[in-house]
Amino acid sequence: MLSAVVLYEMTHLSPGVDPAESLVRTLSSLVRANVEGLLRDVAIAGPFSQGLEIIADHAGCGLIEATGEQEWLREAIEAARGPHILLLRSGFAPQQGFIEEAGDFLQRPPRASGADVAMLRAAPERLFERMFPGAAPLAGLIAPRDRCLEGSATRLAGLAQFLRPATTLRTHARRVA
């Protein structure tokens, strides 16, 4: 089972998009994964004074607030209860098939360095990303909690570089905002 942490971000949103709405849409995309037993718990991680406590209360999930992204990322990883973590950027929702693929990934034994870490990429939107799917933005990671704690990354992308995922999931995360 996974502990899911939705990382509250505003940097990748289009002008005029409400960051709180994109967070709510990301959280709602995880309901089925929670019902089907893939997720153990869900938390929101973000900055103070953004009204996240209201969203967390309504969604029935945990809340980690800190001054900077490095702090809330670290605190969220420490607070996770499961042995594996799904770190997901707000504004993205895993597409159909994610639950099955993530479940299969967690079931298989790691064979090499980085084989216990999987990357979830955003669905390709631009021509370049369609031609080179590896160029699509990072939307999330599935990784062992202990390995995430070893890294001192300041952002999700830095943590991905540290963990060096050997697997990129075939399913993508679509942009919801």
Side-chain angles (χ1 to χ4, degrees), residues 64-150:
I64 292 92
E65 292 180 303
T67 307
E69 188 171 351
Q70 181 176 8
E71 291 86 22
W72 75 64
L73 179 61
R74 180 70 143 170
E75 288 181 28
I77 293 167
E78 289 173 354
R81 294 186 279 172
H84 286 81
I85 300 177
L86 166 63
L87 296 166
L88 183 63
R89 293 172 58 201
S90 65
F92 290 96
Q95 291 181 326
Q96 186 76 23
F98 170 77
I99 296 169
E100 295 79 11
E101 188 175 9
D104 291 346
F105 173 77
L106 292 172
Q107 299 282 326
R108 71 177 198 205
R111 295 179 293 273
S113 176
D116 57 350
V117 181
M119 181 182 307
L120 176 65
R121 291 220 176 256
E125 295 176 343
R126 299 184 197 119
L127 176 62
F128 183 77
E129 294 169 357
R130 288 185 185 109
M131 292 173 61
F132 303 99
L138 173 68
L141 282 176
I142 296 175
R145 180 181 176 271
D146 296 340
R147 294 238 3 247
C148 290
L149 288 171
E150 293 171 7

Side-chain angles (χ1 to χ4, degrees), residues 21-40:
E21 175 67 23
S22 75
L23 174 63
V24 169
R25 294 182 74 186
T26 298
L27 287 169
S28 67
S29 74
L30 298 175
V31 170
R32 185 170 161 250
N34 196 9
V35 169
E36 294 205 17
L38 179 66
L39 302 181
R40 176 185 195 137

Side-chain angles (χ1 to χ4, degrees), residues 50-63:
Q50 297 293 317
L52 300 179
E53 65 279 351
I54 296 168
I55 296 170
D57 184 49
H58 285 283
C61 62
L63 175 63

